[in-house]
């Protein structure tokens, strides 16, 4: 015959047989506590080279990085189709990307500046199931674009130009004085 493992009554309660009798569960009175799953930023690659994070939440790239790849993960067990990641890069687009199953994201040709990469995890029914993880990315400004550097180079060029002009004027004066001295000597000989 047929022996069900559970029975649902008309009022929605669930009855389960057990070794010590029946267990009754009323789903309308079950308190669901959402769980929090950690998310981690596992590694970062800049132009194909891995960057050591050392547990820091800040790293500095090389000058003019062409490609930054950020890899993240979460120890979620079950169906991967039920897990979505959503990320964003503050200072670049300031918006969250669409939720996806991807566990990495690429950013190309970031301008000099400071950015904050953020990622969070979603489960079924679009419910956020963790606090977000973040990392700060600093892309340094090339030295030659710094206004102070430009002023310093201009002052050096000006100093060299003035120094050359002073040397040239002294050289011309010395030659003129030499010519005048020689003319006086020739005039004295005549």
């Amino acid at each position: 015959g047929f022996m069900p493992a559970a029975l649902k009554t008309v009022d929605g309660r669930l009855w389960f047989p057990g070794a010590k009798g029946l267990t009754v569960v009323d789903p309308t009175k079950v308190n669901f506590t959402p769980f929090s799953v950690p998310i981690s930023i596992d590694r970062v690659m800049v132009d194909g080279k891995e960057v050591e994070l050392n547990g820091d939440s800040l790293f500095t790239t090389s000058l003019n990085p062409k490609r930054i790849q950020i890899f993240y993960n979460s120890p979620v067990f079950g169906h991967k189709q039920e897990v979505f990641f959503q990320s964003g890069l503050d200072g670049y687009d300031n918006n969250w990307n669409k939720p996806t199953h991807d566990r990495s994201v690429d950013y190309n040709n970031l301008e000099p500046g400071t950015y904050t990469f953020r990622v969070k995890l979603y489960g079924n029914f679009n419910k956020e199931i963790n606090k977000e993880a973040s990392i700060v990315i600093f892309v340094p400004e090339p030295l030659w674009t710094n206004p102070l550097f430009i002023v310093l180079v201009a002052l050096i060029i000006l100093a060299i130009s003035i120094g050359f002009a002073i040397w040239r004027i002294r050289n011309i004066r010395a030659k003129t004085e030499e010519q005048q001295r020689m003319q006086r000597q020739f005039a004295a000989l005549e």
Side-chain angles (χ1 to χ4, degrees):
F2 176 70
M3 185 166 175
L7 177 69
K8 181 177 180 182
T9 60
V10 179
D11 63 358
R13 291 184 296 167
L14 302 173
W15 295 59
F16 299 95
K20 295 184 179 182
L22 289 174
T23 302
V24 180
V25 177
D26 186 350
T28 62
K29 295 183 180 176
V30 173
N31 291 329
F32 175 74
T33 305
F35 61 95
S36 180
V37 177
I39 188 166
S40 63
I41 297 172
D42 296 334
R43 64 187 175 123
V44 176
M45 296 186 73
V46 177
D47 295 332
K49 296 178 184 171
E50 190 164 348
V51 174
E52 286 291 326
L53 297 177
N54 298 325
D56 293 338
S57 62
L58 167 71
F59 77 93
T60 301
T61 69
S62 56
L63 288 178
N64 301 319
K66 301 292 182 236
R67 182 179 185 199
I68 297 176
Q69 297 170 279
I70 303 171
F71 298 87
Y72 43 86
N73 207 347
S74 183
V76 176
F77 302 104
H79 300 288
K80 288 190 176 188
Q81 296 84 1
E82 298 175 1
V83 177
F84 296 92
F85 293 91
Q86 191 174 28
S87 64
L89 187 62
D90 295 344
Y92 179 71
D93 57 14
N94 297 325
N95 294 317
W96 289 98
N97 297 327
K98 289 183 179 179
T100 177
H101 298 297
D102 295 340
R103 294 170 189 254
S104 69
V105 66
D106 292 5
Y107 293 99
N108 297 311
N109 301 315
L110 289 179
E111 295 291 324
T114 302
Y115 304 91
T116 301
F117 173 76
R118 300 182 300 149
V119 62
K120 55 186 171 182
L121 180 67
Y122 285 88
N124 278 340
F125 311 112
N126 225 13
K127 290 187 179 179
E128 188 174 339
I129 58 175
N130 78 313
K131 295 179 181 176
E132 64 186 47
S134 65
I135 188 168
V136 177
I137 303 166
F138 177 69
V139 179
E141 181 179 346
L143 183 62
W144 55 88
T145 63
N146 185 320
L148 186 60
F149 178 78
I150 293 170
V151 168
L152 182 63
V153 168
L155 288 175
I156 290 172
I157 291 171
L158 181 64
I160 290 172
S161 299
I162 291 171
F164 178 75
I166 291 171
W167 173 80
R168 184 73 177 127
I169 290 170
R170 286 181 182 167
N171 192 353
I172 291 171
R173 281 185 183 161
K175 284 184 180 181
T176 304
E177 289 173 4
E178 180 66 25
Q179 285 176 350
Q180 289 174 351
R181 187 183 59 79
M182 289 177 74
Q183 285 175 354
R184 283 191 297 264
Q185 284 180 350
F186 283 131
L189 289 175
E190 295 181 343

